[in-house]
Amino acid sequence: WAGWDGGAMSAVVSGDHVKFAGDQAAKLFTNDDAVHEFTGYTSGFWFFDAKQYIPSSTQGAGNNTYFILMNNYNVGGAKGWSAQIQFDQENNLVTDAEAGAASAQLPLVYDTWMDIRVEIDLDANRRSTFYGGTFVGAADWYDPGNANHLQSIAAVDLWADVGGNPVYYDDMSLSVPEPTALVLLGLGGLMVALLRRKA
């Protein structure tokens, strides 16, 4: 993990606070921006999963946190955004910023661990976002007409502007769906592999 664009990371990754599983979780405060980069993910169907915990103490004007996935991330250079799920603690809503007006507006759930999932089809150039198992929005993964965009999974970015109150992330993974999930998705024949990255 590193700070945005090569800067220092002020988010805390430790076991000294609320966590979902294991011994560590990420804790983000105002303007914290934690980035983890990936390489070699340029084709296929992928699930990106995470657990998120937002305390009810973070409710208030101007408070937000974003879960972001990027198709291009170069420190000091070109960047491309693919998914930005906004958690609006002022209006208590979850939306898919990249889906725009087509995004659902789901109620934000406080004081419990919630599932975030982004289903990514790099070959078809589509992705869908889910919160607590409920669909939020869908959009293209990247814009072929944008020179800064690539057909790849480049980074996850956790960003918080929550007025000094914490937001937590844990149990993150980038994985190929299990064979049973592939049958349901109509995508049989994909090789099974799993990459787990935890905060």
Side-chain angles (χ1 to χ4, degrees), residues 41 43-48 118-122 153 174-177:
Y41 299 93
S43 65
F45 195 98
W46 299 90
F47 286 168
F48 201 110
V118 183
E119 297 183 356
I120 307 160
D121 189 338
L122 290 172
I153 302 171
L174 176 61
S175 64
V176 171

Side-chain angles (χ1 to χ4, degrees), residues 9 11 13 20 43 48 52 74 105-106 130 141 147 149 156-157 166 171 178-179 183 199:
M9 188 183 73
V13 179
F20 174 76
S43 65
F48 201 110
Q52 181 198 61
N74 290 289
Q105 294 190 332
L106 303 183
F130 299 84
W141 177 252
H149 282 213
V156 57
D157 175 27
D171 204 30
E178 295 295 330
V183 171

Side-chain angles (χ1 to χ4, degrees), residues 2-191:
W4 177 258
D5 224 10
M9 188 183 73
S10 51
V12 176
V13 179
S14 79
D16 297 332
H17 47 248
V18 62
K19 51 189 177 293
F20 174 76
D23 59 353
Q24 294 191 118
K27 180 180 183 180
L28 289 83
F29 289 97
T30 302
N31 291 325
D32 281 348
D33 209 340
V35 178
H36 188 92
E37 296 183 62
F38 301 93
T39 58
Y41 299 93
T42 59
S43 65
F45 195 98
W46 299 90
F47 286 168
F48 201 110
D49 291 289
K51 297 283 189 179
Q52 181 198 61
Y53 185 98
I54 302 181
S56 54
S57 61
T58 66
Q59 295 181 72
N63 289 354
N64 289 275
T65 188
Y66 284 81
F67 181 85
I68 301 167
L69 292 178
M70 305 189 69
N71 60 66
N72 191 11
Y73 180 81
N74 290 289
V75 173
K79 296 175 179 64
W81 283 258
S82 289
Q84 297 189 77
I85 308 175
Q86 180 184 15
F87 304 89
D88 179 350
Q89 290 113 289
E90 180 175 355
N91 298 299
N92 302 310
L93 292 174
V94 179
T95 57
D96 185 329
E98 297 296 322
S103 172
Q105 294 190 332
L106 303 183
L108 197 159
V109 178
Y110 294 96
D111 298 326
T112 191
W113 286 100
M114 293 295 291
D115 292 318
I116 296 171
R117 167 168 283 185
V118 183
E119 297 183 356
I120 307 160
D121 189 338
L122 290 172
D123 299 323
N125 189 26
R126 293 294 289 176
R127 96 298 184 276
S128 300
T129 55
F130 299 84
Y131 176 68
T134 301
F135 175 78
V136 185
D140 290 345
W141 177 252
Y142 71 103
D143 177 2
N146 188 328
N148 290 331
H149 282 213
L150 299 174
Q151 182 179 310
S152 70
I153 302 171
V156 57
D157 175 27
L158 310 177
W159 184 81
D161 180 13
V162 288
N165 296 299
V167 173
Y168 305 90
Y169 289 91
D170 201 357
D171 204 30
M172 280 181 270
S173 66
L174 176 61
S175 64
V176 171
E178 295 295 330
T180 51
L182 293 175
V183 171
L184 293 172
L185 292 165
L187 296 169
L190 200 61
M191 295 296 290

